[in-house]
Amino acid sequence: MVLVIETVRSSRILDVNSESYPPRSITSKDLIAQQDVYGLSDSEFVEELGIVNPIGFYQKLIFVLKLLKRWLILLIIFPLLCGTAAWAYSNYYVVPLFAAKSTLLVQPQNISSQNMYNSIMGNQQLIKTYEGLIKTRTIALDVSRRLDNKVTPERVLENLGVKTSNVTFLITLTYTDTNQERAVRVVNEVARSFAKNVGVFVNLDNVMIVDEAVPQKDASPVSPQIVTNTLLGFALGLLLCILLVVVVEALKGLMKLLQDAERNFKAEGRRM
């Protein structure tokens, strides 16, 4: 029984019709001959014909499942090793850091109901000025003296964080240290020093401490984030493993393609 296919999409398969017009019908023998000439696999041959393969999806699914089965051990072990390494590094090699926070309030100046916008903008600019003044060496030196030089001015400036808001008149001070009690003392001294010496910088005395830092019994370090680092290590290991699988499978496919091309070239040479 000869199968007749009237329309074919691929230009390579249409070569059998190039000498006749109108094109003659292509039989199954013609197709098999063309497949042998070009060295096409069954799946490539079906794609060249433009025929919808009803089991193509299931073939791809089976291929993916076989691929997963082949690399399953590596896909499990390598991410677990990376996650374990990240956990061990975060838990045993990274020094924990504790954070203490204090809050300052800048009392608004010259609020005018007639020109409310300009008054608010002027106070916001003043707060931004205060943000820069807090992280000056003058404040850091004063804090160091208050703590009997147990913390250097450079360390105060390095670990001190200042955050302001465009909506409120609050300034939040944050200090990180390997010792929680020292972090609390430093940030509170920074707040007190600035509230006391703000008049030295500007001719105003409008800063007050709203909330001082207090030590906590069961405080958790803000760094390292062990769970986050472990999950990132696992995800990175999985990503690297998938990349390795893709590269290896691509190289294997390339080698097979070269071998098929060489085999077809030799077969074509024998025919000639």
Side-chain angles (χ1 to χ4, degrees):
M1 180 178 179
V2 178
L3 174 65
V4 179
I5 300 179
E6 295 292 340
T7 57
V8 179
R9 183 178 60 184
S10 172
S11 59
R12 291 197 291 179
I13 303 299
L14 283 175
D15 287 345
V16 297
N17 293 332
S18 59
E19 297 179 355
S20 60
Y21 184 84
R24 63 178 177 82
S25 298
I26 302 174
T27 65
S28 58
K29 292 182 179 180
D30 295 328
L31 296 177
I32 294 174
Q34 290 296 95
Q35 182 181 10
D36 292 337
V37 169
Y38 291 104
L40 299 176
S41 64
D42 292 339
S43 60
E44 292 173 335
F45 185 59
V46 170
E47 183 178 355
E48 286 287 341
L49 291 176
I51 300 174
V52 178
N53 187 1
I55 62 174
F57 171 77
Y58 299 101
Q59 289 177 339
K60 293 178 181 179
L61 181 61
I62 292 174
F63 172 76
V64 172
L65 292 177
K66 288 182 178 179
L67 194 63
L68 288 176
K69 183 179 180 181
R70 187 186 311 163
W71 296 93
L72 182 61
I73 296 178
L74 182 64
L75 288 171
I76 293 176
I77 293 179
F78 190 74
L80 287 177
L81 289 176
C82 291
T84 303
W87 174 85
Y89 178 78
S90 301
N91 206 32
Y92 295 105
Y93 292 96
V94 179
V95 179
L97 292 177
F98 295 88
K101 184 173 67 174
S102 181
T103 305
L104 300 175
L105 172 64
V106 179
Q107 299 175 356
Q109 299 292 315
N110 303 323
I111 296 294
S112 173
S113 58
Q114 296 179 352
N115 199 346
M116 183 67 70
Y117 176 78
N118 290 336
S119 299
I120 294 176
M121 291 300 296
N123 281 280
Q124 289 295 336
Q125 291 176 0
L126 181 62
I127 292 176
K128 289 296 182 181
T129 302
Y130 285 171
E131 178 183 357
L133 292 175
I134 291 173
K135 299 200 68 172
T136 56
R137 187 168 178 83
T138 301
I139 297 296
L141 285 170
D142 186 52
V143 171
S144 181
R145 285 193 294 267
R146 288 169 178 263
L147 297 175
D148 299 327
N149 296 320
K150 294 181 180 180
V151 181
T152 63
E154 292 76 15
R155 188 173 179 181
V156 172
L157 295 176
E158 180 181 357
N159 297 336
L160 179 65
V162 183
K163 183 179 180 181
T164 60
S165 172
N166 293 328
V167 180
T168 66
F169 296 103
L170 298 176
I171 301 176
T172 302
L173 308 179
T174 305
Y175 190 82
T176 56
D177 198 286
T178 56
N179 184 282
Q180 185 200 7
E181 293 183 357
R182 184 165 57 232
V184 170
R185 291 183 59 191
V186 171
V187 76
N188 286 336
E189 289 300 335
V190 171
R192 294 165 187 163
S193 176
F194 184 72
K196 180 180 180 181
N197 296 301
V198 64
V200 176
F201 301 106
V202 295
N203 191 22
L204 292 173
D205 187 13
N206 62 337
V207 177
M208 61 179 296
I209 301 175
V210 177
D211 189 14
E212 289 191 345
V214 293
Q216 301 177 1
K217 293 183 179 180
D218 299 325
S220 300
V222 295
S223 176
Q225 299 180 353
I226 298 178
V227 176
T228 302
N229 292 347
T230 302
L231 292 177
L232 287 176
F234 181 85
L236 181 60
L238 182 60
L239 181 62
L240 291 176
C241 190
I242 292 175
L243 182 61
L244 177 63
V245 171
V246 171
V247 171
V248 171
E249 290 296 329
L251 290 177
K252 288 173 62 178
L254 180 60
M255 291 299 297
K256 184 178 182 302
L257 183 63
L258 293 176
Q259 292 173 358
D260 291 343
E262 182 180 2
R263 185 166 51 252
N264 293 332
F265 179 77
K266 290 180 180 180
E268 189 67 22
R270 286 195 297 268
R271 291 179 183 177
M272 296 177 62

